[in-house]
Amino acid sequence: MYVYATCKGGCTMVDLRGRDFLKLLDFTPMEIRHLLDVAKTLKKQKRNGESHRYLKGKQIAMIFEKDSTRTRCAFEAGAHDLGMEATYLGPTGSQMGKKETIEDTARVLASMYDGIEYRGFDQEIVESLAKYSKVPVWNGLTNEFHPTQMLADIMTIQEEFGNLKGRKLVFCGDARNNVGNSLMVVCAKLGMHFVCCAPKNLWPEENLTDECRKIAEGTSAKIEMTEDIMEGTKNADAIYTDVWVSMGEPMELWEERIKLLSPYQVNAKVMKNAKKEAIFLHCLPSFHNNETTIGKQIEEKFGIKEMEVTDEVFESNQSRVFEEAENRLHTIKAVMLETLKK
Ligand code: CP
Ligand code: NVA
């Protein structure tokens, strides 16, 4: 039998069955908290070796038009933990986009599977997939949003500090991307203090910022933008960064981004400026050394060994990046369970 998570905010009222999970703007604070509570229960069950095959017999399709380690494995391993089977459709090998429209793909997959995950480019694609699919569609990252990542990030902050209200989360770097946007949204929804530390042209889009500020009025959240990293990171509870050039962006952007974002690198001086107990977060993958193919190319071309975060901070005892990565599994399972259960 499905065991309901202990729920503080009266969220036994929450019913997400049949819902898509496309962006956090579509969810109420109570629904987001509920998913976090379910993830906590599932994490305990996994740790204790308790079977939790609540979705036995169901099947999911996973569309990946971009690479992935964490998201793919969390959906796949998570599906198996919940008793389901999963089919992976990579950037090549299916008809989607080349010979078949998103609308047709959605209708075909929905006739064979109980849920569809999509990672790819424009948010419009995943929205359209959901529109034409009669089964839940989950966003595994688009250019604009990365909603499953946020659940894992917030779960990690909650595990660290016990509460979220008023916690100061500072994002340093390219904030005009899926991760920066989604962090601003989740902080607004959960009454947190979001600070974007970046050059002005890499702040989240004005429309989205305005929408988040409106949400913040109702949740007592605070949304701030600054170009001054020392002012922004002062007294932070969590400092977060992401790669300077995201998947799908051209390699030529590296030069400009290195120039623009080097002053926003998360290093020991920045961490010292935060609270003593502050943690470091990163969605990963991360360029904290030169031990990857792209890391080596960047070093050869621009002479730098570390980018958005120093190896020292990444490996420090303030870093929670691997706890955060593990939480991708538990939170993605919560999303699948809550939207697919009977
Ligand atoms: N954080 C994240 O989405 O990682 P992957 O690209 O490995 O899925
Ligand atoms: N902004 C990054 C996130 C990776 C998880 C990208 O889109 O490549």
Side-chain angles (χ1 to χ4, degrees):
M1 266 316 288
Y2 173 61
V3 184
Y4 240 101
T6 338
C7 208
K8 289 175 203 97
C11 19
T12 38
M13 303 301 290
V14 172
D15 183 358
L16 300 176
R17 287 173 298 178
R19 288 271 298 274
D20 300 309
F21 190 77
L22 306 179
K23 56 187 181 304
L24 289 176
L25 286 170
D26 303 337
F27 288 80
T28 65
M30 197 191 274
E31 288 169 340
I32 297 170
R33 280 191 209 104
H34 177 71
L35 287 169
L36 292 167
D37 284 341
V38 174
K40 191 172 163 188
T41 303
L42 291 170
K43 184 169 182 173
K44 251 189 234 146
Q45 290 174 324
K46 173 104 178 163
R47 289 264 164 100
N48 295 340
E50 287 166 35
S51 168
H52 46 281
R53 297 166 59 81
Y54 304 125
L55 300 176
K56 196 166 166 230
K58 294 194 185 283
Q59 297 201 49
I60 65 161
M62 310 187 305
I63 304 169
F64 280 85
E65 297 198 305
K66 289 178 180 168
D67 292 341
S68 169
T69 299
R70 278 145 290 271
T71 311
R72 175 184 175 179
C73 295
F75 270 102
E76 195 158 338
H80 294 158
D81 279 351
L82 292 168
M84 298 192 284
E85 283 175 18
T87 303
Y88 172 76
L89 298 163
T92 59
S94 88
Q95 312 280 16
M96 183 168 153
K98 294 170 289 262
K99 278 165 86 181
E100 194 155 39
T101 61
I102 302 301
E103 289 86 334
D104 293 354
T105 309
R107 287 178 286 188
V108 171
L109 293 179
S111 72
M112 298 180 188
Y113 291 92
D114 300 287
I116 304 168
E117 180 278 349
Y118 172 84
R119 164 171 289 200
F121 295 89
D122 296 343
Q123 180 71 15
E124 263 175 22
I125 302 175
V126 77
E127 301 273 351
S128 160
L129 199 57
K131 185 170 164 203
Y132 291 93
S133 156
K134 62 180 196 290
V135 301
V137 171
W138 310 297
N139 178 358
L141 177 148
T142 57
N143 293 342
E144 291 87 347
F145 294 111
H146 196 5
T148 63
Q149 177 70 50
M150 293 311 112
L151 294 179
D153 301 341
I154 297 300
M155 183 177 189
T156 312
I157 296 173
Q158 208 167 28
E159 286 174 341
E160 187 69 28
F161 301 114
N163 57 15
L164 297 171
K165 265 265 178 265
R167 291 279 168 201
K168 181 172 178 180
L169 188 154
V170 183
F171 181 85
C172 300
D174 174 19
R176 194 174 269 237
N177 77 21
N178 38 29
V179 171
N181 287 343
S182 307
L183 281 172
M184 180 168 71
V185 173
V186 81
C187 287
K189 291 268 177 180
L190 298 180
M192 294 172 68
H193 179 182
F194 174 77
V195 181
C196 157
C197 270
K200 226 178 200 141
N201 59 336
L202 294 178
W203 291 359
E205 300 275 353
E206 241 169 80
N207 284 350
L208 183 65
T209 307
D210 290 346
E211 196 171 351
C212 287
R213 288 214 162 107
K214 245 181 233 131
I215 296 168
E217 282 169 19
T219 62
S220 309
K222 229 164 124 181
I223 309 288
E224 285 181 337
M225 309 283 150
T226 178
E227 292 195 298
D228 183 337
I229 185 158
M230 292 323 259
E231 181 196 303
T233 52
K234 208 170 168 67
N235 288 325
D237 292 291
I239 296 188
Y240 198 123
T241 189
D242 184 13
V243 290
W244 289 343
V245 175
S246 284
M247 289 183 282
E249 292 191 308
M251 282 301 280
E252 294 75 57
L253 265 183
W254 274 111
E255 187 168 3
E256 179 192 320
R257 291 285 168 84
I258 288 171
K259 270 197 208 121
L260 275 172
L261 291 172
S262 290
Y264 297 90
Q265 181 193 59
V266 180
N267 52 35
K269 185 174 163 216
V270 169
M271 288 307 293
K272 237 189 218 126
N273 194 42
K275 282 188 185 155
K276 205 162 71 233
E277 62 275 22
I279 57 171
F280 170 71
L281 297 172
H282 191 309
C283 53
L284 306 182
S286 156
F287 291 114
H288 59 97
N289 61 28
N290 59 352
E291 290 164 24
T292 59
T293 317
I294 294 181
K296 277 194 182 72
Q297 286 169 3
I298 299 287
E299 187 189 4
E300 273 161 30
K301 213 160 165 201
F302 304 105
I304 53 169
K305 282 193 162 68
E306 308 162 312
M307 283 178 253
E308 72 275 7
V309 56
T310 59
D311 201 43
E312 184 186 6
V313 168
F314 187 89
E315 298 293 354
S316 73
N317 56 17
Q318 288 178 287
S319 176
R320 294 291 176 277
V321 296
F322 295 110
E323 288 81 354
E324 188 185 0
E326 180 195 325
N327 285 338
R328 299 295 312 285
L329 172 69
H330 311 301
T331 46
I332 280 175
K333 280 164 72 175
V335 170
M336 291 195 288
L337 178 56
E338 289 303 292
T339 54
L340 291 187
K341 75 185 186 191
K342 283 239 168 66

